[in-house]
Amino acid sequence: MVRKCLIVDNEDQTEEIEKLIRDAKNDGIELVCEQFSVGNPEYSEFLTKGAIDIQKVLSEYRRRFSGNVFHLVAFDYQLDDDINGVELIRQLKANKIFRTTPKIVYSGLMDDILKTIIRDESRDNAVTRIKALVKNGVIDYIERENRDIEIRNFFKTNIESTDLIIEEELKKFPDLVFEQNFINKNLEGKTFLEIAKYIEANDQIRNEFKKEIIQQTIAYLTIKI
């Protein structure tokens, strides 16, 4: 099974990714890993006046990766002076990107960052910032030097979620259309890609869709008496 990850960093990660893929192969993992160079001054498509422009990031992500499903996304915490990895995750989720995807945040100064939040902020601000750290589906905050080991460990020990399996299968065949026999009428006649986008944006519809897929699969596999 091919596993896919995305690394979001303001520094070029080409060499690190090549090594990560080799090491993952030694673990028996077929890994595809991409990078998304948000905050790198050499990539002006993400920037306005030298600073990260969220709208440009969203547009560029959709242009490059709209048909992809990543099983894990790793975010550098320190992207630029105004946007850090946690804030970028919040902005992406608000725009229906990586809502159910496992995420990790890393930094060469992660322990110091967490200590600073607790020590230097007022109580209310510290609580707000700590809550921001624990929300948004982030499964761990790690030191940069441990990032690639943790990525490999994730793929060795975690089973792919049903949400991502369904999303990935739908996007493999974007132009196919479901038959007109869905209980949820909002999904009738839509292409697989349209349904993938629909369930990405709506938790209730996604849960109804999963339930119906399971029910219809069981009905299909059941021996008629």
Side-chain angles (χ1 to χ4, degrees):
M1 178 186 297
V2 177
R3 310 305 297 274
K4 298 179 182 178
C5 73
L6 180 69
I7 293 178
V8 181
D9 202 298
N10 62 355
E11 298 179 359
D12 182 65
Q13 299 294 299
T14 301
E15 291 186 7
E16 290 84 351
I17 287 174
E18 290 174 352
K19 183 177 186 302
L20 173 59
I21 291 172
R22 290 195 303 270
D23 291 343
K25 186 175 182 179
N26 291 334
D27 292 334
I29 302 165
E30 186 178 353
L31 181 64
V32 173
C33 190
E34 306 274 1
Q35 65 176 315
F36 196 44
S37 301
V38 177
N40 189 321
E42 295 184 9
Y43 295 90
S44 59
E45 60 266 35
F46 299 107
L47 309 173
T48 295
K49 296 181 179 180
I52 294 173
D53 185 319
I54 291 296
Q55 293 306 312
K56 289 183 176 180
V57 172
L58 295 172
S59 176
E60 194 64 20
Y61 177 83
R62 291 178 177 126
R63 185 184 72 81
R64 296 188 192 184
F65 301 119
S66 63
N68 287 266
V69 173
F70 293 103
H71 306 113
L72 179 69
V73 184
F75 291 82
D76 181 16
Y77 184 85
Q78 296 158 302
L79 296 173
D80 78 359
D81 292 337
D82 297 317
I83 302 291
N84 60 41
V86 174
E87 174 61 15
L88 182 58
I89 290 171
R90 189 188 71 79
Q91 296 275 4
L92 291 169
K93 287 193 67 180
N95 286 275
K96 317 304 182 186
I97 297 173
F98 303 141
R99 293 180 72 240
T100 60
T101 305
K103 295 167 279 287
I104 61 174
V105 175
Y106 62 90
S107 170
L109 301 170
M110 183 54 69
D111 286 349
D112 290 337
I113 290 167
L114 297 176
K115 289 175 184 176
T116 299
I117 291 174
I118 296 171
R119 182 179 62 244
D120 295 343
E121 296 281 348
S122 69
R123 179 175 179 180
D124 289 344
N125 286 343
V127 169
T128 298
R129 292 185 65 183
I130 290 170
K131 284 182 177 179
L133 292 177
V134 300
K135 292 168 62 177
N136 296 320
V138 177
I139 59 175
D140 206 354
Y141 292 86
I142 58 178
E143 292 291 319
R144 175 180 285 271
E145 64 185 20
N146 297 326
R147 181 196 69 188
D148 294 354
I149 294 173
E150 291 303 320
I151 289 174
R152 289 161 51 205
N153 286 339
F154 175 85
F155 287 124
K156 285 192 290 186
T157 59
N158 285 269
I159 299 172
E160 187 178 354
S161 74
T162 305
D163 288 323
L164 292 180
I165 291 171
I166 291 174
E167 183 181 338
E168 189 169 22
E169 291 302 314
L170 289 171
K171 289 183 176 180
K172 283 181 181 178
F173 310 100
D175 298 324
L176 295 182
V177 178
F178 272 102
E179 294 182 2
Q180 306 278 333
N181 60 351
F182 264 75
I183 295 172
N184 191 317
K185 301 306 179 185
N186 292 316
L187 303 179
E188 283 191 355
K190 293 189 179 297
T191 67
F192 283 20
L193 182 58
E194 288 173 329
I195 291 177
K197 291 180 178 179
Y198 203 13
I199 65 177
E200 280 177 333
N202 189 305
D203 291 336
Q204 181 177 346
I205 298 296
R206 182 175 66 248
N207 290 333
E208 290 176 2
F209 180 79
K210 288 193 297 183
K211 182 177 180 180
E212 186 158 353
I213 286 290
I214 292 169
Q215 289 174 338
Q216 293 206 25
T217 299
I218 291 174
Y220 176 79
L221 296 174
T222 301
I223 297 175
K224 301 295 188 294
I225 300 176

PDB file of all heavy atoms in Angstrom, residues 188-206:
ATOM      1  N   GLU A 188     -27.219  12.310  -5.285  1.00  0.00           N
ATOM      2  CA  GLU A 188     -27.650  11.642  -6.505  1.00  0.00           C
ATOM      3  C   GLU A 188     -27.131  12.354  -7.753  1.00  0.00           C
ATOM      4  O   GLU A 188     -27.216  13.589  -7.870  1.00  0.00           O
ATOM      5  CB  GLU A 188     -29.180  11.585  -6.568  1.00  0.00           C
ATOM      6  CG  GLU A 188     -29.774  10.526  -5.665  1.00  0.00           C
ATOM      7  CD  GLU A 188     -31.246  10.302  -5.947  1.00  0.00           C
ATOM      8  OE1 GLU A 188     -31.814  11.041  -6.767  1.00  0.00           O
ATOM      9  OE2 GLU A 188     -31.820   9.377  -5.342  1.00  0.00           O
ATOM     10  N   GLY A 189     -26.593  11.573  -8.672  1.00  0.00           N
ATOM     11  CA  GLY A 189     -26.154  12.107  -9.954  1.00  0.00           C
ATOM     12  C   GLY A 189     -24.852  12.876  -9.920  1.00  0.00           C
ATOM     13  O   GLY A 189     -24.426  13.408 -10.946  1.00  0.00           O
ATOM     14  N   LYS A 190     -24.203  12.948  -8.770  1.00  0.00           N
ATOM     15  CA  LYS A 190     -22.959  13.694  -8.679  1.00  0.00           C
ATOM     16  C   LYS A 190     -21.769  12.808  -9.043  1.00  0.00           C
ATOM     17  O   LYS A 190     -21.793  11.595  -8.844  1.00  0.00           O
ATOM     18  CB  LYS A 190     -22.769  14.257  -7.268  1.00  0.00           C
ATOM     19  CG  LYS A 190     -23.782  15.325  -6.896  1.00  0.00           C
ATOM     20  CD  LYS A 190     -23.423  15.991  -5.590  1.00  0.00           C
ATOM     21  CE  LYS A 190     -24.429  17.084  -5.246  1.00  0.00           C
ATOM     22  NZ  LYS A 190     -24.423  18.168  -6.237  1.00  0.00           N
ATOM     23  N   THR A 191     -20.716  13.437  -9.559  1.00  0.00           N
ATOM     24  CA  THR A 191     -19.494  12.698  -9.859  1.00  0.00           C
ATOM     25  C   THR A 191     -18.785  12.349  -8.557  1.00  0.00           C
ATOM     26  O   THR A 191     -19.042  12.947  -7.499  1.00  0.00           O
ATOM     27  CB  THR A 191     -18.545  13.520 -10.741  1.00  0.00           C
ATOM     28  OG1 THR A 191     -18.073  14.656  -9.985  1.00  0.00           O
ATOM     29  CG2 THR A 191     -19.229  13.990 -12.017  1.00  0.00           C
ATOM     30  N   PHE A 192     -17.859  11.395  -8.667  1.00  0.00           N
ATOM     31  CA  PHE A 192     -17.097  11.017  -7.479  1.00  0.00           C
ATOM     32  C   PHE A 192     -16.349  12.220  -6.905  1.00  0.00           C
ATOM     33  O   PHE A 192     -16.260  12.386  -5.688  1.00  0.00           O
ATOM     34  CB  PHE A 192     -16.098   9.913  -7.829  1.00  0.00           C
ATOM     35  CG  PHE A 192     -16.718   8.547  -7.960  1.00  0.00           C
ATOM     36  CD1 PHE A 192     -18.075   8.384  -8.171  1.00  0.00           C
ATOM     37  CD2 PHE A 192     -15.931   7.406  -7.864  1.00  0.00           C
ATOM     38  CE1 PHE A 192     -18.639   7.121  -8.292  1.00  0.00           C
ATOM     39  CE2 PHE A 192     -16.480   6.138  -7.991  1.00  0.00           C
ATOM     40  CZ  PHE A 192     -17.834   5.993  -8.205  1.00  0.00           C
ATOM     41  N   LEU A 193     -15.767  13.069  -7.785  1.00  0.00           N
ATOM     42  CA  LEU A 193     -15.032  14.235  -7.300  1.00  0.00           C
ATOM     43  C   LEU A 193     -15.951  15.223  -6.604  1.00  0.00           C
ATOM     44  O   LEU A 193     -15.600  15.779  -5.557  1.00  0.00           O
ATOM     45  CB  LEU A 193     -14.302  14.923  -8.454  1.00  0.00           C
ATOM     46  CG  LEU A 193     -13.448  16.142  -8.056  1.00  0.00           C
ATOM     47  CD1 LEU A 193     -12.392  15.752  -7.033  1.00  0.00           C
ATOM     48  CD2 LEU A 193     -12.795  16.760  -9.290  1.00  0.00           C
ATOM     49  N   GLU A 194     -17.140  15.427  -7.140  1.00  0.00           N
ATOM     50  CA  GLU A 194     -18.097  16.331  -6.503  1.00  0.00           C
ATOM     51  C   GLU A 194     -18.484  15.818  -5.125  1.00  0.00           C
ATOM     52  O   GLU A 194     -18.607  16.592  -4.165  1.00  0.00           O
ATOM     53  CB  GLU A 194     -19.342  16.474  -7.380  1.00  0.00           C
ATOM     54  CG  GLU A 194     -19.117  17.299  -8.637  1.00  0.00           C
ATOM     55  CD  GLU A 194     -20.319  17.286  -9.572  1.00  0.00           C
ATOM     56  OE1 GLU A 194     -21.054  16.263  -9.594  1.00  0.00           O
ATOM     57  OE2 GLU A 194     -20.521  18.285 -10.271  1.00  0.00           O
ATOM     58  N   ILE A 195     -18.678  14.507  -5.017  1.00  0.00           N
ATOM     59  CA  ILE A 195     -19.027  13.926  -3.722  1.00  0.00           C
ATOM     60  C   ILE A 195     -17.870  14.059  -2.747  1.00  0.00           C
ATOM     61  O   ILE A 195     -18.067  14.370  -1.565  1.00  0.00           O
ATOM     62  CB  ILE A 195     -19.444  12.456  -3.892  1.00  0.00           C
ATOM     63  CG1 ILE A 195     -20.787  12.373  -4.634  1.00  0.00           C
ATOM     64  CG2 ILE A 195     -19.549  11.763  -2.534  1.00  0.00           C
ATOM     65  CD1 ILE A 195     -21.252  10.980  -4.925  1.00  0.00           C
ATOM     66  N   ALA A 196     -16.640  13.831  -3.225  1.00  0.00           N
ATOM     67  CA  ALA A 196     -15.462  13.970  -2.362  1.00  0.00           C
ATOM     68  C   ALA A 196     -15.396  15.372  -1.775  1.00  0.00           C
ATOM     69  O   ALA A 196     -15.152  15.553  -0.569  1.00  0.00           O
ATOM     70  CB  ALA A 196     -14.190  13.661  -3.150  1.00  0.00           C
ATOM     71  N   LYS A 197     -15.621  16.390  -2.609  1.00  0.00           N
ATOM     72  CA  LYS A 197     -15.581  17.774  -2.129  1.00  0.00           C
ATOM     73  C   LYS A 197     -16.745  18.054  -1.176  1.00  0.00           C
ATOM     74  O   LYS A 197     -16.595  18.783  -0.193  1.00  0.00           O
ATOM     75  CB  LYS A 197     -15.622  18.731  -3.316  1.00  0.00           C
ATOM     76  CG  LYS A 197     -14.357  18.705  -4.167  1.00  0.00           C
ATOM     77  CD  LYS A 197     -14.448  19.676  -5.333  1.00  0.00           C
ATOM     78  CE  LYS A 197     -13.165  19.678  -6.146  1.00  0.00           C
ATOM     79  NZ  LYS A 197     -13.236  20.603  -7.304  1.00  0.00           N
ATOM     80  N   TYR A 198     -17.884  17.460  -1.464  1.00  0.00           N
ATOM     81  CA  TYR A 198     -19.074  17.671  -0.644  1.00  0.00           C
ATOM     82  C   TYR A 198     -18.868  17.117   0.762  1.00  0.00           C
ATOM     83  O   TYR A 198     -19.163  17.775   1.760  1.00  0.00           O
ATOM     84  CB  TYR A 198     -20.267  17.009  -1.320  1.00  0.00           C
ATOM     85  CG  TYR A 198     -21.616  17.559  -0.935  1.00  0.00           C
ATOM     86  CD1 TYR A 198     -21.767  18.752  -0.253  1.00  0.00           C
ATOM     87  CD2 TYR A 198     -22.772  16.861  -1.280  1.00  0.00           C
ATOM     88  CE1 TYR A 198     -23.009  19.249   0.076  1.00  0.00           C
ATOM     89  CE2 TYR A 198     -24.030  17.356  -0.956  1.00  0.00           C
ATOM     90  CZ  TYR A 198     -24.138  18.541  -0.276  1.00  0.00           C
ATOM     91  OH  TYR A 198     -25.370  19.042   0.050  1.00  0.00           O
ATOM     92  N   ILE A 199     -18.355  15.902   0.856  1.00  0.00           N
ATOM     93  CA  ILE A 199     -18.191  15.286   2.170  1.00  0.00           C
ATOM     94  C   ILE A 199     -16.989  15.850   2.921  1.00  0.00           C
ATOM     95  O   ILE A 199     -16.932  15.768   4.145  1.00  0.00           O
ATOM     96  CB  ILE A 199     -18.105  13.743   2.074  1.00  0.00           C
ATOM     97  CG1 ILE A 199     -16.858  13.285   1.322  1.00  0.00           C
ATOM     98  CG2 ILE A 199     -19.364  13.182   1.432  1.00  0.00           C
ATOM     99  CD1 ILE A 199     -16.697  11.781   1.264  1.00  0.00           C
ATOM    100  N   GLU A 200     -16.019  16.426   2.189  1.00  0.00           N
ATOM    101  CA  GLU A 200     -14.918  17.112   2.860  1.00  0.00           C
ATOM    102  C   GLU A 200     -15.428  18.313   3.644  1.00  0.00           C
ATOM    103  O   GLU A 200     -14.904  18.645   4.708  1.00  0.00           O
ATOM    104  CB  GLU A 200     -13.888  17.604   1.828  1.00  0.00           C
ATOM    105  CG  GLU A 200     -12.928  16.538   1.341  1.00  0.00           C
ATOM    106  CD  GLU A 200     -11.982  17.077   0.279  1.00  0.00           C
ATOM    107  OE1 GLU A 200     -12.342  18.032  -0.437  1.00  0.00           O
ATOM    108  OE2 GLU A 200     -10.876  16.535   0.173  1.00  0.00           O
ATOM    109  N   ALA A 201     -16.442  18.965   3.118  1.00  0.00           N
ATOM    110  CA  ALA A 201     -16.915  20.226   3.689  1.00  0.00           C
ATOM    111  C   ALA A 201     -18.030  20.055   4.704  1.00  0.00           C
ATOM    112  O   ALA A 201     -18.370  21.015   5.406  1.00  0.00           O
ATOM    113  CB  ALA A 201     -17.391  21.148   2.561  1.00  0.00           C
ATOM    114  N   ASN A 202     -18.594  18.844   4.828  1.00  0.00           N
ATOM    115  CA  ASN A 202     -19.783  18.684   5.658  1.00  0.00           C
ATOM    116  C   ASN A 202     -19.695  17.384   6.453  1.00  0.00           C
ATOM    117  O   ASN A 202     -19.799  16.290   5.889  1.00  0.00           O
ATOM    118  CB  ASN A 202     -21.033  18.684   4.766  1.00  0.00           C
ATOM    119  CG  ASN A 202     -22.315  18.751   5.561  1.00  0.00           C
ATOM    120  OD1 ASN A 202     -22.565  17.924   6.436  1.00  0.00           O
ATOM    121  ND2 ASN A 202     -23.149  19.741   5.260  1.00  0.00           N
ATOM    122  N   ASP A 203     -19.495  17.513   7.767  1.00  0.00           N
ATOM    123  CA  ASP A 203     -19.335  16.329   8.616  1.00  0.00           C
ATOM    124  C   ASP A 203     -20.573  15.442   8.613  1.00  0.00           C
ATOM    125  O   ASP A 203     -20.470  14.212   8.577  1.00  0.00           O
ATOM    126  CB  ASP A 203     -19.008  16.746  10.049  1.00  0.00           C
ATOM    127  CG  ASP A 203     -17.627  17.346  10.173  1.00  0.00           C
ATOM    128  OD1 ASP A 203     -16.781  17.056   9.321  1.00  0.00           O
ATOM    129  OD2 ASP A 203     -17.392  18.110  11.126  1.00  0.00           O
ATOM    130  N   GLN A 204     -21.742  16.056   8.668  1.00  0.00           N
ATOM    131  CA  GLN A 204     -22.973  15.266   8.710  1.00  0.00           C
ATOM    132  C   GLN A 204     -23.150  14.459   7.424  1.00  0.00           C
ATOM    133  O   GLN A 204     -23.456  13.260   7.469  1.00  0.00           O
ATOM    134  CB  GLN A 204     -24.181  16.171   8.921  1.00  0.00           C
ATOM    135  CG  GLN A 204     -25.495  15.387   9.002  1.00  0.00           C
ATOM    136  CD  GLN A 204     -26.680  16.285   9.278  1.00  0.00           C
ATOM    137  OE1 GLN A 204     -26.526  17.436   9.667  1.00  0.00           O
ATOM    138  NE2 GLN A 204     -27.871  15.754   9.085  1.00  0.00           N
ATOM    139  N   ILE A 205     -22.942  15.111   6.272  1.00  0.00           N
ATOM    140  CA  ILE A 205     -23.067  14.409   4.998  1.00  0.00           C
ATOM    141  C   ILE A 205     -22.020  13.307   4.896  1.00  0.00           C
ATOM    142  O   ILE A 205     -22.303  12.206   4.403  1.00  0.00           O
ATOM    143  CB  ILE A 205     -22.929  15.383   3.811  1.00  0.00           C
ATOM    144  CG1 ILE A 205     -24.054  16.425   3.849  1.00  0.00           C
ATOM    145  CG2 ILE A 205     -22.952  14.634   2.486  1.00  0.00           C
ATOM    146  CD1 ILE A 205     -25.436  15.855   3.679  1.00  0.00           C
ATOM    147  N   ARG A 206     -20.800  13.587   5.369  1.00  0.00           N
ATOM    148  CA  ARG A 206     -19.741  12.575   5.318  1.00  0.00           C
ATOM    149  C   ARG A 206     -20.131  11.340   6.127  1.00  0.00           C
ATOM    150  O   ARG A 206     -19.968  10.200   5.672  1.00  0.00           O
ATOM    151  CB  ARG A 206     -18.426  13.141   5.844  1.00  0.00           C
ATOM    152  CG  ARG A 206     -17.280  12.113   5.759  1.00  0.00           C
ATOM    153  CD  ARG A 206     -15.936  12.682   6.151  1.00  0.00           C
ATOM    154  NE  ARG A 206     -15.891  13.049   7.544  1.00  0.00           N
ATOM    155  CZ  ARG A 206     -15.808  14.282   7.998  1.00  0.00           C
ATOM    156  NH1 ARG A 206     -15.798  15.285   7.144  1.00  0.00           N
ATOM    157  NH2 ARG A 206     -15.758  14.533   9.288  1.00  0.00           N
TER     158      ARG A 206
END
